[in-house]
Amino acid sequence: MTTPAPEHATDADPLSPVRAGLLRAAHADADALLTHAEREAAALLDQARAEARAILDEARRQGEADGSDAARDLLVKTRRDARSRTLAARREAYQELRNEAAERVRALRGTDGYTSLRGWLEQRARVLLGPAAEVTEHADGGVVARAPGRRVDLSLTTLADRAVDRVRGEVRSLWEP
């Protein structure tokens, strides 16, 4: 048997079809792995996006809830402040009414009818405490009477305060709707 001369040798390598088959299989495996990896990456991205949306939605809901709580707290504080200012203004108006009434009643001391009024107040004090009551002039006008264990204040300022107290409900209607 003779070996063919080198110039007659074929270029064909007997492992060439095996190599080609292995290369095709490797390419197919690589393509399959790449496709699988791309699908997994897409699925992970979709999942991450969904989680991000869920986190954002929850953060938005929480932010709205926190904002709602803050708004409610602010509204309560604002109403409380408004109520406080309203009550302060009413107190001030009521005190001004008391002061004006007391001032006008004290002005009666300078009128011609004061002597008659003072006499009537003294009589009223004696009716309340008895004829032996000690009756004195009050510095603001009117009288104060004393009897053992008892005292009656019929000063002009006290009478004005009592009159304003009696009409307190009507005065309240000045600032209520």
Side-chain angles (χ1 to χ4, degrees):
M1 200 158 143
T2 61
T3 48
E7 62 262 0
H8 292 228
T10 60
D11 279 341
D13 181 10
L15 294 178
S16 186
V18 173
R19 260 191 231 121
L22 287 173
L23 275 174
R24 276 192 306 278
H27 281 290
D29 286 347
D31 287 344
L33 282 173
L34 186 59
T35 302
H36 180 69
E38 286 172 350
R39 279 191 212 126
E40 278 189 23
L44 285 172
L45 281 173
D46 289 345
Q47 183 181 357
R49 286 184 185 115
E51 287 178 16
R53 276 191 301 275
I55 290 169
L56 284 174
D57 289 346
E58 178 58 29
R60 187 175 296 114
R61 278 192 296 277
Q62 187 61 45
E64 288 171 358
D66 291 349
S68 178
D69 290 348
R72 185 188 66 247
D73 292 347
L74 181 59
L75 181 61
V76 166
K77 182 187 179 308
T78 302
R79 284 181 178 162
R80 195 175 295 138
D81 290 348
R83 178 76 174 147
S84 178
R85 287 185 187 133
T86 299
L87 291 175
R90 287 179 182 179
R91 269 191 308 275
E92 185 178 326
Y94 188 72
Q95 190 57 47
E96 284 181 27
L97 176 64
R98 290 180 83 87
N99 293 343
E100 181 69 23
E103 187 178 313
R104 287 185 182 217
V105 169
R106 282 191 302 267
L108 291 173
R109 292 176 70 191
T111 66
D112 293 337
Y114 178 70
T115 305
S116 172
L117 175 61
R118 189 191 178 288
W120 183 85
L121 291 172
E122 188 172 334
Q123 275 183 329
R124 182 72 183 140
R126 292 190 192 285
V127 166
L128 293 171
L129 296 180
E134 177 188 335
V135 179
T136 58
E137 176 97 17
H138 189 274
D140 287 339
V143 298
V144 175
R146 288 179 182 79
R150 296 171 59 204
R151 179 178 183 271
V152 171
D153 184 351
L154 296 175
S155 65
L156 296 180
T157 304
T158 298
L159 293 172
D161 285 345
R162 288 181 191 156
V164 171
D165 286 344
R166 277 194 299 274
V167 296
R168 179 177 245 156
E170 294 172 35
V171 169
R172 192 175 304 133
S173 70
L174 294 174
W175 47 69
E176 290 180 356

